[in-house]
Amino acid sequence: MTQQPMVDIRGVHKFFGDLHVLAGIDLQVAPGEVCVLMGPSGSGKSTLLRCINEMEQISAGRVYVDGMLMGLREVVKDGRSVLYRLKDSEIAAQRSRIGMVFQRFNLFPHLTAVENVMEAPVQVKKMPKPQAREMAMTQLERVGLSDRADHYPAQLSGGQQQRVAIARALAMTPELMLFDEPTSALDPELVGEVLGVMRELAASGMTMIVVTHEVGFAKEVADHVVFMDGGVVIADGSAAETIENPTHPRAVEFFGKVL
Ligand SMILES: Nc1ncnc2c1ncn2[C@@H]1O[C@H](COP(=O)(O)OP(=O)(O)OP(=O)(O)O)[C@@H](O)[C@H]1O
Ligand SMILES: [Mg+2]
């Protein structure tokens, strides 16, 4: 990789008490790339995403996003590097550059679609409401929902709610989007519309890390597919390499079941 990676994860460990959930993760994602993350339940996929956007504090290692060291400030003192934890406000500023979409849409039930999308720009970026509304409408259009702007979440299908959640994340103009099983909670007939929006987002050049079991999406959209097990990266290659021709026994077993 000649250019600076958008995401650069180096030797990351995460413990929950005695539980060693991430056991030395190295992973790079170039600008504009789509990285699909797969692996069995409990392998640490969600934890890794949460460490990238600092919802979890890593136990060791470094995470850089667009060259920025996440959560820490490095100061060289007497030729030795010392790390300081950033202030909460600094961490919030870093996090605001990363969009995250979860399995559950987590929309505010008392706000309409457009109000959900406006919320963070108004609250966090102090964007004037008329400007925020206009921008939110643009984002809703992008996910094909401009005609549902004034609907409340309860009046939207699961697929529509998830598309609003994507528009809400895009409203903060993130440089990186993280998706944690964005279609797992959806009825099968609604999966396609959400994957379609993600496919377009990828085509627009967004850098994305996507945890998903959707093999079709991975084969079509992913620049590389990472297989994790037991808190380590077992394989990192093209979909053809990682999914279709796995070599590691645990990957062979996993994809044997998934396919
Ligand atoms: N806050 C927490 N406190 C303690 N243990 C946790 C916490 N979060 C996750 N774990 C544990 O860390 C391990 C990895 O969990 P994680 O949610 O990252 O897995 P995953 O690969 O996303 O699994 P799934 O496919 O089921 O979503 C699991 O053993 C889980 O129980
Ligand atoms: Mg998970």
Side-chain angles (χ1 to χ4, degrees):
M1 203 179 286
T2 48
Q3 65 196 136
Q4 171 177 281
M6 178 59 79
V7 182
D8 192 1
I9 298 170
R10 296 186 176 263
V12 163
H13 290 258
K14 175 66 186 174
F15 289 88
F16 287 114
D18 290 338
L19 195 61
H20 200 177
V21 175
L22 299 178
I25 300 277
D26 290 288
L27 179 63
Q28 279 80 43
V29 183
E33 266 189 350
V34 176
C35 171
V36 164
L37 207 53
M38 296 180 142
S41 182
S43 57
K45 307 179 297 294
S46 296
T47 303
L48 182 59
L49 289 192
R50 293 167 62 85
C51 285
I52 296 171
N53 84 343
E54 301 178 82
M55 289 163 74
E56 296 288 354
Q57 208 175 320
I58 61 177
S59 309
R62 307 270 170 100
V63 176
Y64 296 89
V65 174
D66 199 18
M68 176 175 66
L69 179 60
M70 300 299 282
L72 301 167
R73 175 174 293 115
E74 186 164 18
V75 178
V76 178
K77 264 187 192 166
D78 306 326
R80 285 187 55 213
S81 145
V82 186
L83 292 172
Y84 295 96
R85 177 118 186 107
L86 295 181
K87 287 186 277 190
D88 286 351
S89 59
E90 294 172 311
I91 288 175
Q94 288 188 332
R95 186 184 294 147
S96 72
R97 299 167 67 176
I98 302 172
M100 180 125 182
V101 176
F102 303 89
Q103 185 172 350
R104 297 265 158 215
F105 335 117
N106 304 318
L107 297 176
F108 297 113
H110 60 288
L111 298 180
T112 63
V114 69
E115 287 166 350
N116 265 282
V117 179
M118 290 165 63
E119 176 75 9
V122 170
Q123 297 300 330
V124 180
K125 288 193 171 168
K126 309 296 175 203
M127 189 184 282
K129 277 194 177 174
Q131 189 189 337
R133 180 172 289 271
E134 198 174 311
M135 182 276 311
M137 287 306 298
T138 306
Q139 297 305 343
L140 284 176
E141 203 163 310
R142 197 167 171 188
V143 301
L145 283 177
S146 42
D147 59 335
R148 296 286 190 280
D150 296 321
H151 286 54
Y152 287 90
Q155 300 169 316
L156 298 170
S157 72
Q160 290 170 337
Q161 288 183 56
Q162 192 61 303
R163 284 148 66 197
V164 174
I166 293 171
R168 183 178 57 175
L170 293 175
M172 291 295 279
T173 55
E175 52 190 354
L176 169 67
M177 286 283 288
L178 307 176
F179 293 86
D180 195 355
E181 301 201 31
T183 60
S184 300
L186 297 177
D187 292 337
E189 71 271 22
L190 302 179
V191 168
E193 65 188 64
V194 173
L195 293 179
V197 165
M198 292 169 62
R199 202 175 282 126
E200 280 176 28
L201 191 56
S204 80
M206 179 64 75
T207 311
M208 298 165 48
I209 304 181
V210 184
V211 175
T212 183
H213 301 299
E214 295 290 336
V215 168
F217 177 83
K219 284 188 193 170
E220 195 188 328
V221 181
D223 294 289
H224 57 133
V225 179
V226 171
F227 176 71
M228 275 178 74
D229 195 13
V232 296
V233 171
I234 303 267
D236 183 354
S238 66
E241 290 163 345
T242 304
I243 300 176
E244 292 175 282
N245 298 291
T247 52
H248 194 287
R250 281 188 282 181
V252 172
E253 189 196 346
F254 179 81
F255 289 111
K257 281 182 199 153
V258 167
L259 292 177

